[in-house]
Amino acid sequence: MSSIKEVARLAGVSVGTVSNVLNRPDVVAPDTRQRVQAAIAQLGYVRNGSARQLRAGRSRTLAVVALDLANPFFIDVLSGVEGAAQRDKLTVMVFNSSKDAEREARLLEELEEQRPLGVLITPVNDRGQRERLDRLVSRGIPVVVFDNSARLSHGCAVAVDDVLGGRLAGRHLLDRGHRHIAYAAGPFSVRQVEDRHDGLAGVLGERERLTVIRLPDLNVATGRTAGREIAELSPGARPTAVFCGNDLVALGVLQELTQRGLRVPDDVAIIGYDDIDFAAAAAVPLSSIRQPREQIGHTATVMLLEEADQTSGHQHRHVLFQPELVERTSTAARAPVTSAL
């Protein structure tokens, strides 16, 4: 592999001039710049980005620790992250904690050693990792928490008001006449799961009944398990509506109920959370609580870059977006019962 010295020798210029062509081409005369670029092309020279970062004392890499990359929600958030990072020509490294606290802890230890420009993370359990995240900040690695309302001692957070999201789902179902509602989600150690439950429970009165179906994970398979549990109840004991912790669970519930001959929404209404693309494309289009997914990623990245820029006078912020109810067929009003003529 050729070196910057070889480029300088071939172009007949100093190493400093080659460096200027690579980093500040506007300060080099056009003919000299062309000569250096020709030498770079002839030798196939590729700059050593890692060495350049070490010399500058700054990484050009952002690390993202996502809660669950099997969930399309996080893919959409990453799209927002990459859009913001590309403006500063930053590299984005993506890690998946898979909702495993031990795996997350190991990833954070590795990142502490690698010293990226900053870390974006949705913690598995923000209470358990807060000390470790604060330690990253104390080592000069800024951290922004996204899709979680956790507050670090020294950092920013970007989230959606999940308590409000739970309220929106609950009020929508109550407005549709449902008085026995199930909440299918888990694990409750994940803050979002707990907050959505609290929002739902908060709008139910003494006349309404809430059945909680605790799931080990938020995916289609656990949704089918919840759907099976609901379907096997007698009609009198069965909830008439189910609020699911995310759209993947809602899709699983929908699959199981329809395969067992129950009609959605006539027998059981379903509402999910996130409003991923699959929600609208389901056999019975799913109502959902929409989150601004790409905006979450973009905002979190901008805040992280502000944290990393020690000259910007940045102040820590906690941004809380408002969720939005999207109504579709899965919670449509029941057709009125008419007597035979």
Side-chain angles (χ1 to χ4, degrees), residues 184-252:
F188 272 69
S189 58
V190 175
R191 178 186 287 267
Q192 297 91 315
V193 170
E194 184 178 357
D195 284 351
R196 293 165 194 177
H197 166 270
D198 292 348
L200 170 64
V203 299
L204 301 183
E206 294 181 358
R207 297 182 180 181
E208 286 84 46
R209 180 180 173 189
L210 174 61
T211 296
V212 177
I213 302 174
R214 293 177 177 267
L215 304 176
D217 206 343
L218 294 170
N219 55 41
V220 174
T222 59
R224 293 190 67 114
T225 299
R228 182 163 55 253
E229 183 174 330
I230 292 168
E232 290 175 351
L233 293 170
S234 64
R238 182 184 301 140
T240 61
V242 55
F243 172 36
C244 300
N246 70 5
D247 288 334
L248 296 180
V249 172
L251 288 167

Side-chain angles (χ1 to χ4, degrees), residues 11-14 16-22 24-38:
V13 299
S14 68
T17 299
V18 176
S19 178
N20 282 336
V21 170
L22 293 171
R24 297 187 301 159
D26 54 301
V27 303
V28 182
D31 57 338
T32 303
R33 186 167 64 241
Q34 291 175 5
R35 197 162 69 249
V36 171
Q37 289 171 340

